[in-house]
Amino acid sequence: MISAEKLDIRFDGQDASLPILGKPRESRNAVVYHSRHARFGGEVAVKRVLHDADSGVIEQYDAIRRLNSAFQGADGYRTVKPILVIPESGILVLEWIDGRSLQELLFDQATTYDQAVAYVERAARWLSIFHRTEVLPPCPLSCESLVKRLLPSDPVARLHPIRRRIHKLLTDSAPLLAGHDVPQVLVHGDYKPANVLYGDHETIAIDIAARHCGPNVADLGHFINCLRMDAYQPRGLRLLRWRGHLAKAFLAAYVAAGGDVPEPDLTWYRFHQLARLWLYPGKNGRRGASLALGPCILLEMASLGRRLKP
């Protein structure tokens, strides 16, 4: 049972009531609560998985355990430590990280441009290490199936002029990607500035799904899109001057750390991700925020679209 003040869970055959400390963090797939309990040695993050709870939470627990081993020896870069999994409740108990997110640091007026570059470079190195933990043979993007995902079931809705332009641009530019092999890696699933934490000289990513392998541009594109969209937040307006340089620094650091950035595949995938967000604003669990940023999303898509025209 979950109330505004506490979490009632059962583990080790006993019932326990855990206090909720602060405001929960919500994403499209989970809710994370800050709590504490003597059994766990102090403060913890209690993650409640919202979809495929019983199997999903076990998969995440096992994935995080594997990643902890894979990150050993990566000085200054790691993942959160898993503590306990409760499949029947869809709950995962993790180490609580007492640090600040990249998003917070970029919004902080005290953060200088040079510091911002250093932060995004560290985020890129973390992702490069993560992507090397599980690798499949590279292959081209499945453009046709990705475009089909944007098509609504209602034939009338398909006639919307902006929707038709989006579909046409993605379809017409797909041949530009022909013959391009894209690295297939373990996908984080929600890699963005809000999910990269810094503390005690460490860089730690949170909210890791790691449920499948896919194109590396999925994580790269999502991070850059979120970084650029943060500039439209009231607290992030100064990022309008920096975001292009920060995105370039991020990609350069990813390549320097051993990653590969395929183009124009990354641009195409970023456009597809933004199109999905604009067309289906409720899919990410924050419909109001997506709708409010609708015009900004279109601006970003227009910029990418100019680079994709055959």
Side-chain angles (χ1 to χ4, degrees), residues 1-276:
M1 177 181 174
I2 301 174
S3 68
E5 294 86 21
K6 64 179 181 177
L7 293 162
D8 292 327
I9 63 175
R10 184 175 181 81
F11 62 92
D12 293 344
Q14 298 181 340
D15 294 324
S17 183
L18 280 64
I20 295 178
L21 311 175
K23 184 179 179 180
R25 293 180 64 254
E26 298 184 34
S27 69
R28 61 176 177 262
N29 297 317
V31 181
V32 179
Y33 302 90
H34 180 195
S35 188
R36 63 168 173 259
H37 194 276
R39 159 71 169 76
F40 305 130
E43 294 179 275
V44 292
V46 181
K47 182 176 183 178
R48 182 165 64 93
V49 177
L50 302 178
H51 307 293
D52 300 324
D54 52 350
S55 60
V57 75
I58 293 175
E59 287 182 13
Q60 288 191 35
Y61 183 79
D62 290 341
I64 293 173
R65 287 183 61 188
R66 293 195 306 271
L67 287 169
N68 264 268
S69 298
F71 269 76
Q72 288 183 0
D75 189 33
Y77 301 90
R78 67 179 182 89
T79 59
V80 295
K81 298 173 184 175
I83 298 174
L84 178 71
V85 61
I86 311 175
E88 60 272 17
S89 302
I91 285 179
L92 186 63
V93 182
L94 304 164
E95 165 195 18
W96 176 257
I97 304 297
D98 190 15
R100 301 181 70 190
S101 73
L102 174 57
Q103 184 185 57
E104 292 177 51
L105 291 165
L106 293 179
F107 284 169
D108 190 338
Q109 296 296 314
T111 300
T112 66
Y113 171 76
D114 289 341
Q115 289 173 327
V117 169
Y119 287 135
V120 298
E121 288 177 341
R122 286 167 59 181
R125 295 187 195 106
W126 188 98
L127 187 61
S128 178
I129 297 169
F130 174 81
H131 279 171
R132 292 199 301 273
T133 60
E134 193 169 335
V135 180
L136 295 179
C139 64
L141 286 178
S142 302
C143 296
E144 184 176 354
S145 62
L146 287 168
V147 171
K148 284 182 179 179
R149 293 181 193 177
L150 299 180
L151 293 175
S153 56
D154 181 3
V156 177
R158 298 187 184 189
L159 299 177
H160 189 287
I162 296 181
R163 188 186 295 272
R164 291 173 64 184
R165 289 174 62 185
I166 289 171
H167 183 270
K168 178 175 172 52
L169 179 58
L170 286 171
T171 302
D172 290 351
S173 59
L176 297 174
L177 282 55
H180 289 205
D181 282 338
V182 177
Q184 302 296 304
V185 299
L186 186 65
V187 176
H188 179 286
D190 197 15
Y191 197 67
K192 59 185 180 182
N195 283 340
V196 182
L197 304 183
Y198 301 87
D200 295 330
H201 307 291
E202 292 183 314
T203 302
I204 307 166
I206 60 173
D207 205 13
I208 302 171
R211 299 185 67 174
H212 66 277
C213 284
N216 70 338
V217 292
D219 282 337
L220 292 171
H222 185 61
F223 182 92
I224 293 174
N225 283 340
C226 289
L227 173 66
R228 292 185 62 87
M229 292 304 299
D230 280 346
Y232 295 109
Q233 302 284 354
R235 294 176 58 201
L237 290 178
R238 70 173 182 154
L239 294 177
L240 288 169
R241 305 193 316 268
W242 296 357
R243 59 184 187 167
H245 299 292
L246 293 180
K248 289 179 181 178
F250 175 79
L251 293 176
Y254 181 82
V255 171
D260 181 28
V261 179
E263 282 288 9
D265 309 79
L266 175 59
T267 298
W268 192 94
Y269 207 94
R270 284 183 56 203
F271 185 95
H272 179 275
Q273 289 174 321
L274 289 171
R276 188 171 184 271

